[in-house]
Structure formats: C-alpha cells, structure tokens
Amino acid sequence: QVQLQESGPGLVKPSETLSLTCTVSGGGFVSTFYWSWIRQPAGKGLEWIGRIYPSGNTNYNPSLRSRVTMSIDTSQNQFSLRLSSVTAADTAMYYCARDVSGSATIDERAFDTWGQGTLVTVSS
Amino acid sequence: DIVMTQSPDSLAVSLGERATINCKSSQSVLYSANSKNYLAWYQQKPGQPPKLLIYWASTRESGVPDRFSGSGSGTDFALTVSSLQAEDVAVYYCLQYYTTPRTFGQGTKVEIK
C-alpha cells in the first residue's frame, strides 16, 4: 500500500521561500509514475502546482511557473517543492499525490494516491 | 488552460434518492488514439484529502461502491450517486488530466435534505 507524507515548515514569512518534501513509502516509488503537488486554500478548490518524473522532467502550472521549482531524490523516495516570494495568497493546504498518467501497462488514473496534506501559512 | 465548470455548486438530496453532478470542459478531453476521456471524479470530506472515485470518465476505482457512476464524453460529463447515503456527504470535484496544467472544477457540495 503506497503512502505519501508531506513535511516542512507550517509558517513561512512573506517574500521568503516555501519548501516542502513528500516521502513515499510502501514500495510505490517506481520510475513509471509522475509525482505532483496540489494545493487548496481553506474553504476553496484545488489547484495543481506541477509534477515531476523520476528522470527529473517537470511540468509546472503557468500561473506559478516563475516561482516554482521541483526536485526528486529517488534514492530517498522523496520529491520536493520550492515556491519562492510567497505572499498571503499562498496560504493553503499542500498535498502531494501520485499521478498515474502516460502508462502503457496500467490504467491512467490521474491522482490515485494522496498525502494527508500539510498546512502552510504565510505570515510575518 | 482547459476550464472545468461544475453544476450545481451545491445540492441537497434525500437519503436514498439520486444525486447528479455535471461537469463541462472548455475543450474536449477525449483522446482519439485510445477513445478514452481523461476525466476523473473525486470526493473530499472535511479534513481529508480528495479520494479518487472515477477515472476515464466512467471507470470506477477499486473499492468504490457501485452506487457511484460516471458518464459522458468529449466535453460533458456527469457523476451520479444512485442512492445517496449519509456517508456520501462531501464536496465532489471533476478533474481533467488530458493535458497540463491539470485543472479541477470548482467543486459541488452534496448535503442531505
């Protein structure tokens, strides 16, 4: 059973950089999946931030592209998000999720496994 | 970006009755090479991450009760709960994964009447 767990500071100051890590356990960190970050402000909808493939290839949401960097460490079964120059508008629950897309061997099921989420508040 | 629009924003249904949520995409999410619609449905309960219910527009995820069904093709889709149970109270989201950026509908809140 694949499990994802987000970790990182819960409070970030305005203009600083938000850094989060997602650790994958349960044997699911294989080289055929994308790994995504998604966020959700309190009481609002879901916004896809971007994704990374184990090769290091990335796709970012154009709305955030200038501030987003994702990285991956397959030896540690982890992938990470950095969001620079944060403002109060970046306050949200941040989720990591497995993105089952582009596979020729298993059903393409989009975000089939999610972490529990980590709340990040941007405030001085 | 593909814009996903759900309707209604909220609905109240009696226990045991049918609930239907609609989702419309601003462009087709049907991939002609395999005839699959890259549309998924998620259920989110308070304090929990979203849970995958349906993918490829109509394929139920393993373990999801068969009262949940998805339909539609191209740009118009629907999620139906055939007999609403108390545990189905949640916010439901559609997602297109035809292309990046992935985009979600705004959500539909389902309550008991």
Side-chain angles (χ1 to χ4, degrees), chain B residues 11 13-22 41-43 53-54 60 64-71 78-90 92 108 110-112:
Chain B
L11 75 161
V13 176
S14 299
L15 287 171
E17 295 300 306
R18 179 185 299 260
T20 300
I21 301 167
N22 299 298
W41 289 97
Y42 291 84
Q43 174 193 66
L53 297 177
I54 303 284
R60 200 177 302 112
V64 173
D66 61 7
R67 64 180 180 273
F68 290 93
S69 63
S71 62
L79 173 71
T80 298
V81 187
S82 61
S83 176
L84 194 75
Q85 304 300 303
E87 61 266 33
D88 301 332
V89 169
Y92 293 82
T108 296
V110 175
E111 299 174 307
I112 302 296

Side-chain angles (χ1 to χ4, degrees), chain A residues 3-14:
Chain A
Q3 292 185 314
L4 283 69
Q5 180 66 58
E6 304 87 350
S7 59
L11 181 64
V12 182
K13 289 182 168 56

Side-chain angles (χ1 to χ4, degrees), chain A residues 35-85:
Chain A
W35 302 91
S36 277
W37 289 97
I38 297 156
R39 69 180 184 179
Q40 184 175 37
K44 296 189 178 181
L46 298 156
E47 179 181 33
W48 180 77
I49 300 170
R51 68 180 184 177
I52 188 165
Y53 199 67
S55 65
N57 287 348
T58 55
N59 300 108
Y60 299 146
N61 193 322
S63 66
L64 297 167
R65 181 177 290 141
S66 63
R67 299 194 290 131
V68 171
T69 304
M70 293 184 183
S71 59
I72 194 164
D73 185 343
T74 55
S75 67
Q76 297 294 319
N77 291 354
Q78 292 179 332
F79 61 104
S80 299
L81 167 71
R82 287 172 57 86
L83 181 66
S84 64
S85 305

Side-chain angles (χ1 to χ4, degrees), chain A residues 109-122:
Chain A
R109 308 196 327 271
F111 309 122
D112 72 332
T113 307
W114 297 62
Q116 285 300 305
T118 188
L119 179 62
V120 178
T121 301
V122 178

Side-chain angles (χ1 to χ4, degrees), chain A residues 38 40 44-48 51 59 61-62 95 99 101 107-112 114-116, chain B residues 1 34 38 40 42 44 47-50 52 55-56 59 61 93 95 97 100-102 104 106:
Chain A
I38 297 156
Q40 184 175 37
K44 296 189 178 181
L46 298 156
E47 179 181 33
W48 180 77
R51 68 180 184 177
N59 300 108
N61 193 322
Y95 296 102
D99 181 352
S101 303
D107 286 1
E108 295 173 278
R109 308 196 327 271
F111 309 122
D112 72 332
W114 297 62
Q116 285 300 305
Chain B
D1 299 5
N34 60 8
Y38 283 70
Y42 291 84
Q44 188 177 31
Q48 297 183 19
L52 176 65
Y55 62 93
W56 279 339
T59 302
E61 174 71 332
Y93 294 93
L95 161 77
Y97 58 111
T100 59
R102 306 293 197 229
F104 293 87
Q106 79 276 18

